[in-house]
Structures are given as structure tokens and as C-alpha cells.
Amino acid sequence: SKTNMRVKEGSFIKLFVSSGPRLEEMQDFGGRKYEDAVEALVNLGMVEEEQISREDVFDDAEPGSIIAQSVAAGASFDPAAEKIVFTVSKGPETFDMPNLIGMKQQAALNELQKSGLKPGPDSGVVREPSYAPEGTVIDQFPYKAGDAVAKGSEVTITVSSGLPDDA
């Protein structure tokens, strides 16, 4: 069984035909941690740095969890040759919480709406006696000015109901 050997015409020869690379079935990694997917694929013989990559995007899914994969679940693939890209959640996009303290109640509620935030329970307004002018926001909860906050988060404002009884 030598290669490139001359044989007489009419001689019997034995051919070996490859059935091709060993194919695996791609798992559904949706909702799983990126690190778990990498470990499973490396165990099949893939090389992490060369064949497996990620693209991080803002999403409501748990940060670090896979929301899409470039090779469909159930598809056959060659672990020695395939490249796969996972789309991974960074969590919801955040922005700095605006400062509502000192605003009038309606202006503060308008600012919440404009920022994509929602009023908390009971219309998002708590009234408390204060030395601040009546109708003025004196506190915001649970996010203070400058805190990282995501669209859709609930914020409650505390509004002055006027001077305290002992004033």
C-alpha cells in the first residue's frame, strides 16, 4: 500500500474513500451562558480563539446569556472547520437618571415619561410636609440623579405637601 506506485494494467487495487469530516449536531444555546456554550464546543474539538466569537448587544435578556447563534440549533456542522458567532445580551441599555429634585410635580412626571421611565406604585407620587414650596419634588426613589437606570424602570417622587404642622 504505497502511494504513487505504478501497477500493471488490469491489476486489482483497493481504494479507500473518505466519508468526509465527522459532523456534530449544533445544540440550542439560547438562554444559556456564553461560557457554557464555549465549554461545550471546545469539548467537541473547536478552538475558542479561532472558531468561537461573540457580539454583545443591549437586550432585556439576562446579561451574559445567549440570544442568537450563527449556526442554527439542530444543524449539522464540522467542529474542525466551522466558525460560530453568538449574540450575547449586555442587559438593557442604561442611561443617567435625571435630577427631578426641585422640579414641580407635573414637570418631573413629564421628565420621567420623556426618559422612558414609569411612575412607581400609586401614580408614583408620595406627598410629605416640607419647607420646600408645595408641589415641589423633594426626593426621588429608588434612583438618585446620575444613577444608571434602564428604560421602563419605575421611579417614585416625593412631593412637598406644604409646611409641616410644627412650622
Side-chain angles (χ1 to χ4, degrees):
S1 63
K2 297 178 184 172
T3 58
N4 295 326
M5 194 171 117
R6 291 180 174 262
V7 294
K8 290 183 181 172
E9 193 173 319
S11 298
F12 284 99
I13 58 172
K14 192 185 259 185
L15 293 177
F16 294 94
V17 179
S18 169
S19 58
R22 179 180 56 89
L23 298 181
E24 296 285 348
E25 184 177 317
M26 180 56 71
Q27 297 179 46
D28 181 0
F29 290 107
R32 292 173 58 187
K33 292 278 177 209
Y34 174 76
E35 293 74 20
D36 296 344
V38 169
E39 183 180 342
L41 294 171
V42 166
N43 288 339
L44 293 176
M46 294 185 82
V47 179
E48 180 177 355
E49 296 78 18
E50 296 172 17
Q51 294 177 275
I52 308 167
S53 60
R54 68 189 278 167
E55 178 184 331
D56 295 313
V57 298
F58 290 113
D59 190 84
D60 290 336
E62 171 103 13
S65 65
I66 295 170
I67 53 178
Q69 58 193 62
S70 63
V71 177
S76 294
F77 76 105
D78 177 2
E82 192 72 54
K83 288 188 188 304
I84 182 163
V85 179
F86 290 107
T87 305
V88 180
S89 173
K90 290 198 274 192
E93 187 169 5
T94 60
F95 56 93
D96 289 346
M97 175 70 196
N99 184 10
L100 307 175
I101 295 172
M103 292 182 162
K104 290 292 186 190
Q105 176 180 327
Q106 193 55 53
L109 291 172
N110 290 346
E111 183 65 29
L112 285 179
Q113 184 177 18
K114 187 176 88 181
S115 299
L117 301 169
K118 297 178 187 159
D122 301 322
S123 77
V125 178
V126 174
R127 297 190 169 285
E128 280 185 12
S130 164
Y131 289 98
E134 187 175 342
T136 302
V137 177
I138 55 174
D139 194 19
Q140 58 191 62
F141 179 83
Y143 305 100
K144 301 298 180 201
D147 286 355
V149 64
K151 285 193 184 309
S153 298
E154 289 189 351
V155 179
T156 298
I157 57 174
T158 304
V159 175
S160 172
S161 61
L163 293 172
D165 293 338
D166 62 1

